[in-house]
Structure formats: structure tokens, C-alpha cells
Amino acid sequence: MVFDIWKQIKAKRFAPIYLLYGTEPYLINETKQLLINHVLSPEEADFNLSSYDLEETPIDTALEDAETFPFMGERRLIFLHNPVFLTSEKSKAKIEHNLAKLEAYIKEPAPYSVVVLSASSEKLDDRKKLTKQLKKTAAVLEAKKLNEGELKTWIRERAALNGVQINEAAVELVLTLAGTNLFILTSEIDKLALYASDTKRIDEQMVEKMVSRSLEQNIFSLVDKIVHRKIEEALRIYYDLLKQNEEPIKILSVITGQFRLIYQVKELARRGYGQQQIAGYLKIHPFRVKLAAGQAQLFGDEELTVIMSLLADADYQMKTGGMNKTMLIEMFLFRLQSQALQKNTQ
């Protein structure tokens, strides 16, 4: 688990070899930065920090560096990027690697060096002897997208790192408003921690006030207001988006995408799919599925069909110039309000 590796690094208990791979760049970058900050002092980094692209440099050269005694310090830190030979991909470069030397180094690493192999591949080739050897010997970080529970743990840990506590409702709201991108979440938690420097506590009111919304998250809030038939509040969010120079056609596209997601989640759930399966099928984060599933419960099938038809009509009008673009979304919202009123009087 990423947090365990980070705790070990912060405690200066370093593994001789690290293997970082996966498609979540934040986790890989953060691990590298932690190693730089804790393995070496700023003065030592000038002499003992090296980085090699293995698409340009043979592994032999990099390992010779790892086997060289550190200069004016206790350790060397060596980053080895793009070890394509650990994957099933074909290398574009014409570099010859002496992999037998790497195998020998893994068995007996230099006690004064920390070697970090970093691959952006989603998977490594576990059939290869070298990959098996590394996974057995190295400290391994698989940088995959965090699930909802891991994201919440990560938010709490990030807050604690800044010396503040965050309550559970605030954690949930941060995820809802800021999304699941770790770069954005880091920025938002650090900002909240600074704002809470006096009280040392982050609550929902603070999150509501301070967290920046992406267009998608603003649209989610807008759709949430629509779902709960709060059309006046939905219009207020829409006008705010226009003031931020967001294009009506882009806003309509994201609204349509969110309602399409609600429709898909509702249909797949009816077929017996669980939320994790739906997330895998639709290739989106499970937290988005959870939110959409909550919204889906508030719509009947016919109601969703009517809404999708209204959105398709608005999209056609917007692209053919049939009406003022700004007014088309207003009309869509007013029609929804009318539809809700009719439903309530039946």
C-alpha cells in the first residue's frame, strides 16, 4: 500500500531497490519526491542524485553509477526511467541492455545506493524472470487509481500531514466537489489546511466555501439541483458558469453526459451489475458511479427518457442555430420544472 511505503521513507527506512509502475502519475511523482527529500540533503543531491532514461542509456551504465561510492554523503539515489524490458511492450529504442547484470545487482544491491525503477505502464510482464525477481525483492508500488475508501484515507492523511483534522462529512464533500484527481485534491486539501490553521479542523462549511469546482463538478452540482427539482438554484449555478465564460454548448454537453451516466447506471443496476462492475464497464471511477446511482433513484424510466429527448432537442437547436444558445439551457430547465410540477399534481 502506498501509505506504508511513504511512512517507511519518512522514517528513513529505505529499501535498496524500489519498483514504481502504474497509470496514476501523482503517486509515482510523490514517491520520487519523498525519496529525494529524505534520502539526500540538498547539498548531497548535487553529487549523489542521478536519473537515467533506459530508452537512451544501457542498464550497465546506470548500475555502474549505483555501484560507485557516494561523494560527500552516505547514499546515492538513482532513478531508472522507462524499463520497457519489464513489460510486454516492444522498445522503440535500439539500446542493448545487459539484463544479467541487473539480475546480479538485484541479488546483491549496493548497501549505499537506493535504486528506483519507474515505469508508466499499467502492467508489468509477470512471465519474465526479471519481473518476478524484482516483485519478490524490491519495495513495490503499483500506482493505480485509488478506490473511494483509499481516496478518503488519502484525504485524511494529507490533512494530518498539514497538522489539521478533517471530519467525515467534509471528506465526502471534498470528493464530491473536487473529484478524484489527486493533483487537484492535493491542492484543495493544502488550501483548506492553510485556511484552518487557527482551528486545526476542516468542516463541511469550510469545504463548501473554499473548494474550487471544476466545470464538471459545477455541472454535477447543477444536475443535483435539477434532480432535487431546485430549478432556481440550478439557474443560479448556470448563470455563474456563464459569468466564468463557459460556453453554453460545453455546459449542455456535460449536462447531457451526466444524465446519460445516470441512465446507464440505472439500466446496468437493473441488469444486476454491482457498482464496481459498472465502473469497470463504463471505465470511470467507482465514486462517480456511486453518486450517479444515488441520483438515478430519484428518476423514473419515462422521466429519464423525456429528459434525454429534451437534451437531444436542445443540442440539435444549439448546433443548427435555431435559438439563442444561452436561452436553450434556460428553456430546458424551465421544461424540467414544468414536468416536475405536473408529476406532483398527478
Side-chain angles (χ1 to χ4, degrees):
M1 181 63 180
V2 61
F3 303 116
D4 296 330
I5 289 177
W6 288 357
K7 282 174 186 172
Q8 294 287 325
I9 293 171
K10 289 171 187 175
K12 293 192 177 291
R13 293 196 290 269
F14 308 117
I17 303 173
Y18 289 87
L19 175 60
L20 317 178
Y21 72 96
T23 54
E24 179 51 85
Y26 178 86
L27 296 178
I28 290 177
N29 292 343
E30 187 77 357
T31 306
K32 287 178 182 174
Q33 197 56 53
L34 279 173
L35 284 164
I36 292 169
N37 293 344
H38 289 83
V39 173
L40 305 171
S41 69
E43 296 77 22
E44 290 170 340
D46 291 337
F47 304 103
N48 297 314
L49 176 62
S50 305
S51 181
Y52 295 94
D53 184 343
L54 297 179
E55 290 281 79
E56 298 174 359
T57 306
I59 190 72
D60 321 36
T61 304
L63 291 177
E64 281 172 17
D65 196 358
E67 290 170 338
T68 304
F69 280 105
F71 182 69
M72 294 180 67
E74 292 182 18
R75 293 184 183 84
R76 297 184 69 80
L77 178 58
I78 319 286
F79 289 108
L80 308 181
H81 301 282
N82 300 318
V84 179
F85 48 77
L86 297 176
T87 73
S88 54
E89 300 167 26
K90 287 192 176 179
S91 176
K92 297 171 187 173
K94 296 179 180 177
I95 299 290
E96 290 292 326
H97 292 293
N98 183 357
L99 297 181
K101 182 158 187 179
L102 179 55
E103 285 181 26
Y105 185 88
I106 293 167
K107 287 177 184 172
E108 198 172 344
Y112 43 76
S113 289
V114 175
V115 173
V116 185
L117 290 114
S118 175
S120 57
S121 307
E122 184 176 0
K123 290 183 179 178
L124 302 182
D125 191 343
D126 289 329
R127 296 168 299 179
K128 294 185 175 182
K129 178 185 173 185
L130 191 55
T131 306
K132 288 178 185 174
Q133 192 181 358
L134 269 168
K135 283 195 169 183
K136 193 180 291 184
T137 309
V140 181
L141 169 63
E142 184 183 358
K144 59 185 179 181
K145 301 292 181 187
L146 301 186
N147 63 34
E148 184 187 344
E150 290 167 336
L151 279 168
K152 288 178 177 179
T153 301
W154 184 87
I155 288 171
R156 286 191 290 270
E157 293 253 344
R158 187 74 196 184
L161 190 67
N162 282 289
V164 300
Q165 290 183 310
I166 179 167
N167 69 36
E168 287 307 303
V171 169
E172 188 89 24
L173 190 56
V174 167
L175 272 179
T176 303
L177 296 179
T180 57
N181 181 299
L182 287 177
F183 287 103
I184 294 171
L185 283 173
T186 300
S187 172
E188 294 300 336
I189 294 299
D190 290 353
K191 180 173 70 179
L192 283 164
L194 192 62
Y195 187 76
S197 56
D198 291 337
T199 62
K200 304 295 182 188
R201 292 192 68 81
I202 299 171
D203 58 24
E204 310 95 285
Q205 288 75 26
M206 208 176 286
V207 172
E208 188 70 49
K209 181 179 179 182
M210 296 298 296
V211 169
S212 306
R213 277 86 158 162
S214 65
L215 171 62
E216 286 73 18
Q217 295 312 123
N218 266 318
I219 296 293
F220 178 85
S221 298
L222 189 151
V223 170
D224 205 50
K225 299 301 182 190
I226 294 169
V227 166
H228 292 94
R229 312 303 192 267
K230 297 177 180 177
I231 303 302
E232 286 184 16
E233 291 178 42
L235 282 165
R236 199 174 304 129
I237 295 171
Y238 174 54
Y239 295 141
D240 283 343
L241 288 168
L242 292 177
K243 283 177 192 171
Q244 293 164 30
N245 295 318
E246 294 291 357
E247 287 292 327
I249 195 163
K250 188 176 179 183
I251 296 171
L252 181 65
S253 172
V254 183
I255 292 174
T256 304
Q258 183 63 28
F259 271 104
R260 189 181 298 117
L261 176 61
I262 290 169
Y263 182 85
Q264 289 171 319
V265 168
K266 192 176 182 69
E267 181 58 31
L268 289 168
R270 188 182 7 252
R271 294 184 197 176
Y273 285 73
Q275 290 187 8
Q276 288 289 340
Q277 290 174 300
I278 295 172
Y281 182 77
L282 298 178
K283 294 182 171 56
I284 59 173
H285 198 282
F287 189 70
R288 282 194 64 200
V289 174
K290 176 187 169 183
L291 294 176
Q295 293 181 328
Q297 292 175 5
L298 299 164
F299 288 98
D301 293 346
E302 285 184 24
E303 205 173 359
L304 273 177
T305 304
V306 170
I307 289 171
M308 296 303 291
S309 175
L310 289 173
L311 287 165
D313 182 54
D315 181 67
Y316 176 78
Q317 294 281 350
M318 203 171 276
K319 288 174 179 173
T320 56
M323 273 183 70
N324 177 287
K325 290 179 181 178
T326 303
M327 285 179 62
L328 279 167
I329 295 179
E330 289 177 343
M331 290 297 294
F332 164 71
L333 293 172
F334 288 135
R335 283 176 182 171
L336 279 189
Q337 190 173 37
S338 172
Q339 185 188 353
L341 289 170
Q342 286 176 10
K343 183 181 175 184
N344 291 334
T345 55
Q346 284 174 0

